[in-house]
């Protein structure tokens, strides 16, 4: 089979790594991919958001299955567009993609179906919002309704910072139209966990739990990032909590999808806060999480292609999914300055010095040689990006804020952590930064 993966980050590298292990996969493509993905798949110089370009490529190459990584092409309706051309695609359709593309849509869904979540109100008028400032007390959780690359949530400690955030989001529109509507939420205290679930429209099957580390600094300090690392399984999961999640969240969610006529097929990512009152939904995403996927897929024993086909053919209830008992820790290495401004193009050394059982998932990397570049921006319109033939001699350089996810398996969390950090120390690039506490439980929130 020919598979095309859409996206070019660590999540897509993990998807490519796992799908490449399927005996039924003959050829893997990735649009646009990155240097690490380029070692497993043929990278195609198309942006993930280029729905028309990707559809045309899939049609020309007779791709058997297109797997969508990021949320933007999903919200643009890439799955509907591929299906219209008679092509199979893994991911929810445009209507279901609203579960991530609009926070108010999701909050209304959760409220309608009695699924535990933070209390909320939505606003489209800045004056009305300012008059209601602090309506749930402080900290005040302020969210741009639309997609904002994971940056649209502000947790304001006091009125001054709440007003500043509202002015930026709704007044200055720093997230564009995503901030035309703001959702204000009650603050939930607790420990976060992520559960990625396969959903085939009728059945919801959770994968193993994971935890993401969103803040840049140790101890969950500093600004939010796209995710500085992850581990699986979550240290706070136990049977009782898993039962609560199944009964209070997963079952009403799939029932709600059916009642509302939402034919969700793909991966539903449920961001949870484990509070003193039990698990509550913070957010739904309509895709695999990044970096959770890098921590979860190495533990999956079953062929991912088989599961994806079961989802598309509504056979998930008959599909077994087996998991390794091992623990995984994935430590993110980021560019200096991230999540603020950072430089790209820093040569990465030590990638060949890691132990043989370590998986280094690439996020923002590219091959660098004199003639060609393969970064997302440069690749479009520049068809001379690296091919399998010429890249052997090319150095790999940084090409984004998040650069690598150094991933280790161990019989205990501690062993996986120790192995991951031992190998992180062998990799270097100018300005590299990483958290030292990935895989440890932080409970200072
Ligand atoms: P979201 O994009 O909705 O996942 O929010 C980003 C991050 O903000 C989450 O991962 C949480 O750390 C935090 N967050 C969002 N909503 C709440 C809430 N109601 N209470 C506490 N923290 C929240
Ligand atoms: N790990 C958070 C996300 O994928 O949105």
């Amino acid at each position: 089979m020919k598979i095309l993966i859409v996206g070019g980050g660590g999540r897509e590298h993990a998807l490519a790594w796992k799908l490449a292990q399927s005996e039924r996969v003959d050829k893997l493509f990735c649009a646009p991919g990155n240097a690490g993905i380029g070692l497993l798949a043929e990278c195609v110089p198309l942006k993930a958001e280029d729905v028309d370009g990707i559809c045309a490529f899939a049609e020309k190459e007779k791709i058997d299955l297109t797997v969508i990584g990021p949320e933007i092409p999903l919200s643009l309706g890439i799955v509907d567009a591929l299906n219209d051309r008679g092509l199979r695609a893994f991911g929810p359709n445009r209507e279901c993609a609203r579960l991530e593309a609009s926070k108010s849509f999701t909050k209304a869904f959760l409220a309608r179906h009695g699924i535990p979540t933070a209390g909320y109100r939505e606003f489209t008028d800045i004056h009305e919002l300012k008059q209601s400032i602090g309506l749930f007390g402080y900290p005040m959780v302020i969210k741009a309704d639309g997609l904002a690359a994971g940056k649209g949530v502000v947790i304001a400690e006091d009125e001054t910072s709440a007003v500043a955030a509202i002015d930026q989001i709704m007044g200055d529109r720093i997230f564009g139209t995503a901030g035309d509507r703001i959702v204000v939420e009650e603050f939930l205290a607790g420990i976060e966990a992520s559960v990625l679930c396969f959903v085939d429209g009728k059945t919801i099957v959770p994968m193993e739990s994971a935890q993401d580390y969103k803040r840049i600094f140790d101890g969950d300090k500093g600004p939010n990032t796209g995710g500085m690392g992850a581990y699986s399984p979550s240290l706070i999961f136990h049977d009782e909590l898993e039962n609560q999640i199944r009964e209070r969240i997963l079952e009403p969610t799939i029932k709600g999808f059916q009642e509302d006529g939402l034919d969700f097929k793909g991966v539903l990512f449920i961001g949870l806060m484990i509070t003193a009152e039990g698990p509550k939904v913070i957010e739904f995403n309509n895709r695999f999480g990044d970096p959770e996927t890098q921590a979860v897929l190495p533990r999956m024993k079953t062929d991912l292609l088989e599961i994806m086909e079961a989802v598309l053919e509504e056979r998930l209830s008959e599909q077994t999914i087996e998991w390794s008992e091992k623990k995984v820790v994935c430590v993110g290495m980021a560019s200096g300055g991230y999540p603020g401004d950072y430089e790209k193009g820093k040569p990465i050394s030590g990638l060949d010095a890691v132990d043989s059982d370590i998986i280094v998932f690439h996020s923002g990397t590219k091959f660098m040689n004199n003639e060609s570049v393969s970064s997302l921006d440069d690749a479009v319109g520049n068809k001379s990006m690296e091919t399998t033939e010429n890249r052997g001699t090319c150095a790999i350089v940084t090409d984004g804020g998040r650069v690598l996810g150094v991933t280790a398996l161990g019989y205990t969390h501690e062993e996986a952590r120790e192995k991951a950090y031992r190998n992180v120390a062998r990799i270097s690039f100018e300005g590299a930064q990483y958290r030292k506490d990935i895989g440890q439980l932080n409970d200072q929130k």
Side-chain angles (χ1 to χ4, degrees):
M1 276 178 71
K2 279 183 173 181
I3 311 273
L4 167 64
I5 298 169
V6 174
R11 162 185 50 212
E12 288 75 23
H13 192 178
L15 289 167
W17 173 85
K18 183 67 186 160
L19 286 168
Q21 293 167 27
S22 171
E23 284 177 7
R24 292 172 49 228
V25 174
D26 303 309
K27 174 93 189 165
L28 266 180
F29 294 94
C30 190
N34 61 36
I37 296 172
L39 302 170
L40 297 167
E42 184 173 328
C43 294
V44 186
L46 290 168
K47 285 190 182 185
E49 305 87 80
D50 181 0
V51 172
D52 290 343
I54 287 169
C55 287
F57 177 84
E59 200 160 36
K60 181 171 105 325
E61 288 291 336
K62 301 192 171 58
I63 299 292
D64 297 293
L65 177 65
T66 302
V67 178
I68 319 301
E71 61 276 17
I72 293 181
L74 289 166
S75 68
L76 293 172
I78 193 168
V79 171
D80 314 57
L82 286 160
N83 290 344
D84 286 348
R85 295 182 191 223
L87 296 166
R88 291 205 305 174
F90 184 85
N93 61 26
R94 184 182 198 149
E95 196 193 359
C96 294
R98 290 178 68 200
L99 288 164
E100 176 162 3
S102 166
K103 296 204 187 279
S104 55
F105 180 79
T106 299
K107 293 300 279 190
F109 174 88
L110 295 168
R112 191 161 56 244
H113 298 289
I115 300 167
T117 187
Y120 81 108
R121 242 180 88 186
E122 55 182 272
F123 295 87
T124 47
D125 182 281
I126 193 163
H127 304 293
E128 195 190 334
L129 172 51
K130 283 187 178 169
Q131 271 159 17
S132 312
I133 202 115
L135 81 153
F136 295 112
Y138 291 94
M140 179 175 176
V141 181
I142 301 166
K143 302 186 172 185
D145 186 59
L147 293 178
K151 300 200 176 106
V153 177
V154 175
I155 310 227
E157 296 297 332
D158 52 33
E159 186 171 333
T160 314
S161 39
V163 170
I166 291 163
D167 281 337
Q168 285 184 330
I169 297 173
M170 220 179 227
D172 306 341
R173 299 172 115 222
I174 55 167
F175 304 121
T177 54
D180 286 353
R181 186 183 298 266
I182 280 184
V183 171
V184 173
E185 280 184 17
E186 170 198 3
F187 178 82
L188 298 176
I191 296 177
E192 285 186 64
S194 309
V195 180
L196 315 182
C197 304
F198 289 108
V199 182
D200 71 356
K202 299 186 301 196
T203 306
I204 183 163
V205 178
M207 299 182 218
E208 291 283 288
S209 60
Q211 188 182 335
D212 173 16
Y213 293 73
K214 286 224 170 74
R215 309 287 195 101
I216 186 76
F217 300 128
D218 288 13
D220 287 330
K221 302 278 190 311
N224 263 325
T225 71
M228 291 298 289
Y231 74 93
S232 173
S234 160
L235 282 160
I236 50 167
F237 265 56
H238 50 78
D239 289 350
E240 163 78 12
L241 178 60
E242 280 181 32
N243 287 339
Q244 288 176 350
I245 292 170
R246 199 184 59 248
E247 284 167 18
R248 299 182 194 174
I249 296 171
L250 305 189
E251 286 169 5
T253 294
I254 191 72
K255 199 160 151 270
F257 285 170
Q258 289 175 314
E259 282 173 18
D260 293 357
L262 291 169
D263 186 22
F264 192 107
K265 289 196 173 74
V267 168
L268 180 71
F269 166 132
I270 307 181
L272 294 170
M273 189 70 86
I274 312 304
T275 72
E277 294 161 17
K280 296 193 180 185
V281 174
I282 301 178
E283 62 167 347
F284 277 166
N285 293 325
N286 53 34
R287 49 168 176 86
F288 283 94
D290 192 335
E292 288 90 337
T293 306
Q294 296 89 303
V296 167
L297 287 187
R299 301 185 56 220
M300 181 187 275
K301 291 194 196 160
T302 309
D303 183 341
L304 177 59
L305 178 60
E306 234 180 67
I307 305 172
M308 288 180 161
E309 289 187 319
V311 165
L312 296 182
E313 292 161 18
E314 297 181 13
R315 293 185 283 100
L316 198 49
S317 60
E318 299 151 26
Q319 176 71 44
T320 50
I321 305 181
E322 288 189 278
W323 297 96
S324 159
E325 286 296 315
K326 285 195 178 168
K327 321 297 176 199
V328 171
V329 171
C330 168
V331 179
M333 296 182 75
S335 296
Y338 176 77
D341 292 341
Y342 55 84
E343 290 177 12
K344 296 184 189 175
K346 307 289 181 198
I348 304 171
S349 64
L351 287 170
D352 48 4
V354 298
D355 292 331
S356 58
D357 58 347
I358 294 292
I359 317 162
V360 181
F361 291 121
H362 290 223
S363 302
T365 67
K366 66 175 181 178
F367 289 105
M368 175 57 94
N369 66 10
N370 291 334
E371 302 98 58
S372 58
V373 282
S374 62
S375 77
L376 184 68
D377 293 332
D378 296 328
V380 178
N382 171 6
K383 307 284 175 196
S384 66
M385 72 189 275
E386 276 75 12
T387 62
T388 331
E389 293 75 45
N390 73 2
R391 69 181 163 221
T393 55
C394 297
I396 292 178
V397 298
T398 66
D399 194 35
R402 290 192 286 176
V403 178
L404 301 168
V406 180
T407 309
L409 290 113
Y411 289 100
T412 61
H413 285 89
E414 207 36 57
E415 185 194 350
R417 241 176 75 71
E418 194 273 318
K419 277 167 78 172
Y421 278 105
R422 183 163 13 107
N423 284 277
V424 164
R426 297 181 189 161
I427 300 174
S428 61
F429 53 89
E430 191 189 315
Q433 52 169 340
Y434 58 89
R435 279 179 62 157
K436 316 284 182 303
D437 60 351
I438 307 297
Q440 281 176 342
L441 207 51
N442 285 316
D443 55 3
Q444 45 275 83
K445 265 187 247 150

